[in-house]
Amino acid sequence: MKQTDFEILQPVEYRGIKGYITFISEYYISICFIDRPLPEEAHSRWGRYYVNLVVYPHYWYEIRCRLDEIEEKKESESPRSDLLQFGRRRSMGTAHQ
């Protein structure tokens, strides 16, 4: 892939590591492969824990886009809500008669 083929937040895989692109320049691309919320007591400015991998241009050909893979997974998953799964409507905050 060339630099023009990459986009910020694009899901990718590099040498078996899955993540998303966080930075693109002519010198390197950063791929975030760990992104977790921090506990409240950490008092972090951003509230998240990130780990990025730097990939230099001569290795960009090894970066594979995972967008098609993610779309297929979304289509194959069943709905998660009661409304979609069972056709029921859930009353919230109202009394039944």
Side-chain angles (χ1 to χ4, degrees):
M1 293 180 97
K2 298 177 291 201
Q3 179 185 0
T4 57
D5 295 340
F6 297 115
E7 295 180 17
I8 299 292
L9 301 178
Q10 177 182 14
V12 293
E13 183 174 345
Y14 174 71
R15 295 186 177 184
I17 298 171
K18 296 177 181 179
Y20 60 91
I21 295 176
T22 56
F23 181 80
I24 303 169
S25 79
E26 62 186 86
Y27 304 109
Y28 67 91
I29 290 175
S30 292
I31 299 172
C32 181
F33 63 97
I34 297 177
D35 179 356
R36 293 188 207 142
L38 289 173
E40 290 283 327
E41 59 269 8
H43 303 293
S44 167
R45 179 176 182 182
W46 305 112
R48 300 196 69 77
Y49 172 76
Y50 299 101
V51 179
N52 288 295
L53 173 70
V54 173
V55 182
Y56 295 102
H58 48 282
Y59 297 108
W60 288 356
Y61 72 93
E62 295 182 43
I63 298 174
R64 184 177 63 83
C65 179
R66 295 181 48 236
L67 204 52
D68 295 335
E69 177 183 313
I70 291 172
E71 290 299 321
E72 287 175 8
K73 185 178 178 181
K74 283 182 184 177
E75 290 175 5
S76 67
E77 288 182 351
S78 62
R80 301 260 187 246
S81 73
D82 286 349
L83 178 63
L84 294 174
Q85 282 185 345
F86 306 111
R88 284 190 255 163
R89 195 174 78 165
R90 190 180 283 213
S91 297
M92 298 184 71
T94 60
H96 294 283
Q97 295 190 16

